[in-house]
Structures are given as C-alpha cells and as structure tokens.
C-alpha cells in the first residue's frame, strides 16, 4: 500500500491505494498517528484508489476519528466506491463520518 | 484447506476461495465476490484472533463447495468457541465508536445465512451466486 499526503487549502489530503485491511491497517495507523500527534486539524482521506476495506480497516478509521476529534480536528472521507460506501451504511458508520462524493466537494466542505 | 493461525494467511485463504468461485462461475459479479471475500476474511480473522488466540501452531480449517448455485463455506478453529448471542449490536449508537465487534455483524448482513455450531468454534456461511 502506498500512502501519499499533500496539502491543499490547509487540508491534509491522504490518498491510499489497494486494500485497507488487517494487513495494511498497522501501516496506515502509523502514518496517521504521526499526523495526529502533530495536531493537524483538517484531514481528508481520498478513497478513489481503495478497493477494499475490512472491519480492521473500519476500526482504524474510527480510532483516527476519535483521536482527531479529541483536539477539535476534522476528518473527512471522499470518493468511496459504491461497495465501500455500502459498508459504511450497513455498519451505520456513515452517521459518524463526513463522507463526500469527491475530493473537490470535501475540500469545499472544510472551508 | 488448512492454514496456520497467522494473519498473513487470511488473504491467501480468501484468494483460494475466490479463485474457486471464479472458475465455477465465470460471470460472477464483482459485488458478490467482494461480499464473499470480506466475509471469509472476517471469519478467518475471528478464528485466528479469538479462536486460536494468534497461536500460529493452531490450525484453522476452511472448506467450501458450490451446491445448487450457492457457495457454502465452513471455517473451524481449535478454540473454546463463544456465544454468538452475547455479541452487542455494533450499530447501536452507544457502540458506534467502538473499534471492534463489527465482523460477525458484517457477515450476517452480507451473506444469506451465517450459522455457528453450539460450541461457537465453527461457522458455516452460505450465499447465492446469482441475482
């Protein structure tokens, strides 16, 4: 899994590719733990190139959301495939996460 | 198929199940394959983490067969089992922020049937491969 992080309009945009699962979750957690320790306030995860998420991946995202909210930061998600979005719907995690259709929409919503 | 209780084997085992389905059903939809891969991986993950308690020496057995256009997958571990009715509803608002407890719920939502044996160390899941 590759994780690329760029800054756009004061938002840290993270792009990952492949699968967010029990194998890759520790790598993702390590990257995000660093960003959260630096108290970065606006983080967007672009799921455009993410093909799969399992319950370990969901758990990692929930942990990140709790951490970033603990210091008043915001975490948003964008560009989920229909299958991954349906996973957020059936687990009701769509209630916790701010999910946008695409990156531009998400960036506008941070403003 | 039998695997040792190591996380790296989850993908290997699910890939074998998916390959078997693809060979039997060339036109199977990607959505159905996504659901089956996810549920197989969740069940094996539970077997390794909770059944075997990550003891790599303990095996997890996975069997699968297509019968009447339905895939039937059974995953058995050597652990002490658990009472599936004890699992809290992960979609309840008070549980939404919990980081664990979604695996069995996801399996039940995505497969047509999910049944545990009385001991709770063996799960059998079925899903129709069309429609």
């Amino acid at each position: 899994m590759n994780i690329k992080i760029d800054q756009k309009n004061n938002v840290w945009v993270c792009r990952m590719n492949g699968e967010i699962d029990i194998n890759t979750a520790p790598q993702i957690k390590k990257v995000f733990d660093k960003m959260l320790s630096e108290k970065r306030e606006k983080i967007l995860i672009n799921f455009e190139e993410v093909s799969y998420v399992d319950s370990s991946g969901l758990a990692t995202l929930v942990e990140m959301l709790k951490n970033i909210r603990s210091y008043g930061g915001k975490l948003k998600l964008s560009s989920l495939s229909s299958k991954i979005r349906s996973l957020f719907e059936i687990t009701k995690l769509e209630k916790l996460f701010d999910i946008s259709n695409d990156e531009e929409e998400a960036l506008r919503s941070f403003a | 198929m039998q695997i040792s209780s190591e996380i790296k084997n989850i993908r290997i085992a699910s890939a074998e199940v998916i390959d078997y389905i693809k060979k039997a059903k060339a036109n199977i939809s990607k959505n159905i394959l996504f659901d089956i891969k996810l549920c197989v991986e969740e069940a094996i993950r539970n077997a390794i983490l909770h059944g075997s308690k990550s003891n790599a020496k303990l095996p997890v057995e996975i069997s699968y067969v297509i019968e009447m256009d339905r895939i039937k997958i059974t995953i058995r571990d050597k652990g002490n089992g658990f009472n599936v009715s004890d699992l809290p509803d992960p979609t309840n608002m008070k549980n939404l922020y919990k980081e664990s407890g979604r695996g069995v719920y996801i399996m039940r939502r995505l497969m047509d049937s999910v049944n545990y044996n009385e001991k709770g160390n063996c799960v059998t899941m079925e899903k129709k491969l069309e429609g």
Side-chain angles (χ1 to χ4, degrees):
Chain A
M1 158 154 301
N2 289 316
I3 305 173
K4 290 181 186 170
I5 302 172
D6 299 311
Q7 199 174 14
K8 280 188 180 178
N9 307 331
N10 289 327
V11 178
W12 295 93
V13 181
C14 308
R15 293 188 184 84
M16 297 179 257
N17 65 349
E19 304 188 349
I20 303 178
D21 65 5
I22 194 167
N23 294 283
T24 58
Q27 179 194 351
I28 295 162
K29 186 176 179 316
K30 193 175 174 184
V31 170
F32 283 98
D33 278 352
K34 184 172 184 299
M35 285 205 293
L36 299 179
S37 70
E38 293 164 353
K39 300 277 188 286
R40 296 186 184 177
E41 291 188 346
K42 297 177 181 177
I43 298 177
L44 166 64
I45 305 176
N46 183 331
F47 275 70
E48 193 169 355
E49 293 180 40
V50 175
S51 58
Y52 177 81
V53 180
D54 73 357
S55 67
S56 298
L58 293 175
T60 300
L61 294 169
V62 168
E63 185 183 355
M64 284 169 50
L65 184 69
K66 284 194 292 189
N67 287 346
I68 196 166
R69 284 185 177 169
S70 70
Y71 61 81
K74 288 181 180 174
L75 172 68
K76 301 190 181 205
L77 314 179
S78 80
S79 318
L80 280 65
S81 71
S82 60
K83 280 305 289 182
I84 294 174
R85 182 136 194 169
S86 75
L87 200 54
F88 278 79
E89 289 166 2
I90 66 170
T91 55
K92 302 281 193 280
L93 288 177
E94 58 174 350
K95 290 181 180 176
L96 297 191
F97 288 91
D98 189 334
I99 301 175
S100 297
N101 290 324
D102 56 47
E103 186 175 307
E104 293 308 312
E105 181 185 313
L107 288 171
R108 280 197 303 272
S109 72
F110 270 111
Chain B
M1 165 182 24
Q2 184 170 292
I3 60 169
S4 59
S5 292
E6 295 173 90
I7 296 299
K8 66 179 183 183
N9 289 330
I10 296 175
R11 277 186 183 175
I12 295 168
S14 71
E16 189 172 315
V17 176
I18 295 301
D19 280 349
Y20 166 73
I21 296 169
K22 281 181 175 174
K23 282 176 185 161
K25 294 271 178 189
N27 296 324
I28 186 83
S29 82
K30 285 182 179 174
N31 285 347
I32 291 178
L33 289 177
F34 182 105
D35 291 348
I36 294 169
K37 170 182 159 74
L38 179 56
C39 295
V40 167
E41 293 193 354
E42 293 295 342
I44 298 174
R45 171 187 179 277
N46 283 345
I48 290 174
L49 297 184
H50 305 303
S52 302
K53 306 211 181 298
S54 299
N55 180 350
K57 290 178 182 170
L58 293 177
V60 173
E61 293 169 15
I62 302 130
S63 61
Y64 46 93
V65 65
I66 295 174
E67 292 174 340
M68 303 286 286
D69 278 341
R70 298 172 71 81
I71 181 79
K72 180 178 178 182
I73 305 157
T74 299
I75 292 151
R76 180 186 296 272
D77 62 62
K78 300 286 186 187
N80 295 325
F82 71 108
N83 187 348
V84 71
S85 62
D86 289 344
L87 294 175
D89 177 0
T91 65
N92 188 304
M93 199 60 207
K94 69 180 180 186
N95 297 324
L96 274 185
Y97 279 99
K98 288 185 179 171
E99 286 149 31
S100 60
R102 295 186 179 88
V104 174
Y105 175 83
I106 289 171
M107 288 155 55
R108 286 189 155 152
R109 288 297 304 266
L110 299 183
M111 299 298 279
D112 295 336
S113 70
V114 176
N115 293 298
Y116 282 83
N117 65 351
E118 194 173 349
K119 185 179 176 184
N121 71 330
C122 178
V123 60
T124 299
M125 309 182 283
E126 291 189 25
K127 189 171 180 74
K128 195 165 182 276
L129 294 176
E130 290 174 357

